Amino acid sequence: MALHANHPRELTPAARAACARIVDAGIPPELAGEKKLAGYVNPVEVLSRIGVKAEEVRHLILTHIHWDHSSGVGLFPNATVYVQEDEFNFAIKDPIARRPAFAATADPKSKDYIASLERTKRMILVKGDREILPGIECLLAPGHTVALQAVAVKTRRGTAIVGSDCAHTFQNYREDWPSCLIVDLIGWMKSYDKLRKKASSPDLLFPGHDSLMSSNYPEVAKDVTRLV
Ligand SMILES: [Zn+2]
């Protein structure tokens, strides 16, 4: 998902470079092929439709280390990667993360790539809440994973939250009922309260996997909608 993506006709090259920051990395074509994902679109291709080249992406916030959010990290070779330190330590280093129930949501190849970034200039391990760029704040929101981070973005309508898989759908939030994949239910409740409070209005808290985000918002390019 591109956070600061305007219609290509509105972008000068300088503005495009300045806006090259994304939340989550999508899935690389090889893994999509292995998993036979129907309707797959390469995130590099999607970004190109709004005038952003993958190599121009300078900041990549990983909300959590599940294959459908983080396996495309290698597609963005010039990006600094932001991930919560506790998420990194668990997913990359903890032997429990290699057991089947956790391994099912992991992609070993991209985990190796993420591991290789540790202690390089390309990785920033975030501890808790932190404004990483003007108007863009990472918010620790555990529950779905050990240390998922949501992203608060200052917009013309107020603070919007890219909640990632804190909830998979708007319905999860509406019904105060999480998706089935939860490592800490009480932690999830507290994270939900925190994100709801931080968002300027309930409709500015976005889930991670809801097709309504494609169908109910204006399309600025094929498969790309403007949420705020
Ligand atoms: Zn997830």
Side-chain angles (χ1 to χ4, degrees):
M1 178 185 293
L3 265 183
H4 285 192
N6 298 316
H7 191 281
R9 277 186 304 223
E10 298 167 0
L11 290 175
T12 63
R16 198 171 60 216
C19 79
R21 50 194 68 167
I22 61 173
V23 177
D24 287 337
I27 301 160
E30 314 80 65
L31 185 61
E34 274 170 40
K35 291 185 179 286
K36 297 185 174 55
L37 297 180
Y40 169 76
V41 189
N42 188 330
V44 173
E45 160 66 18
V46 173
L47 284 171
S48 75
R49 293 175 192 166
I50 51 171
V52 176
K53 296 186 182 119
E55 60 270 24
E56 289 176 338
V57 173
R58 293 281 180 252
H59 305 277
L60 165 55
I61 302 169
L62 289 184
T63 60
H64 62 300
I65 303 178
H66 277 174
W67 66 269
D68 52 333
H69 292 255
S70 61
S71 62
V73 63
L75 300 172
F76 304 99
N78 298 314
T80 297
V81 175
Y82 300 79
V83 64
Q84 285 286 325
E85 186 174 44
D86 288 349
E87 182 78 5
F88 179 90
N89 285 341
F90 177 76
I92 303 299
K93 297 181 175 176
D94 195 318
I96 287 180
R98 292 199 287 273
R99 290 169 67 169
F102 284 107
T105 55
D107 165 51
K109 202 169 156 194
S110 57
K111 274 175 66 170
D112 288 347
Y113 182 89
I114 292 168
S116 76
L117 297 180
E118 190 183 17
R119 297 196 188 89
T120 71
K121 278 191 284 192
R122 286 195 54 214
M123 170 156 282
I124 294 182
L125 295 176
V126 182
K127 198 142 184 70
D129 300 348
R130 179 171 155 196
E131 187 176 53
I132 57 159
L133 293 163
I136 298 181
E137 186 181 4
C138 293
L139 300 172
L140 177 62
H144 174 66
T145 63
V146 168
L148 178 144
Q149 61 183 357
V151 185
V153 185
K154 290 220 167 67
T155 74
R156 279 170 292 186
R157 288 184 50 207
T159 299
I161 310 269
V162 180
S164 185
D165 289 355
C166 181
H168 284 94
T169 65
F170 287 108
Q171 188 177 5
N172 291 131
Y173 284 137
R174 217 167 36 241
E175 297 180 350
D176 192 19
W177 196 278
S179 313
C180 54
L181 200 55
I182 287 290
V183 300
D184 175 1
L185 183 55
I186 295 169
W188 180 83
M189 301 273 174
K190 291 175 180 171
S191 292
Y192 175 28
D193 289 350
K194 172 177 168 176
L195 299 188
R196 191 170 44 184
K197 202 168 154 207
K198 182 88 177 179
S200 290
S201 71
D203 64 327
L204 290 176
L205 173 54
F206 295 97
H209 290 267
D210 199 322
S211 60
L212 292 177
M213 291 196 291
S214 298
S215 60
N216 281 9
Y217 294 85
E219 193 172 63
V220 295
K222 189 172 184 310
D223 303 319
V224 182
T225 50
R226 182 190 296 279
L227 297 178
V228 180

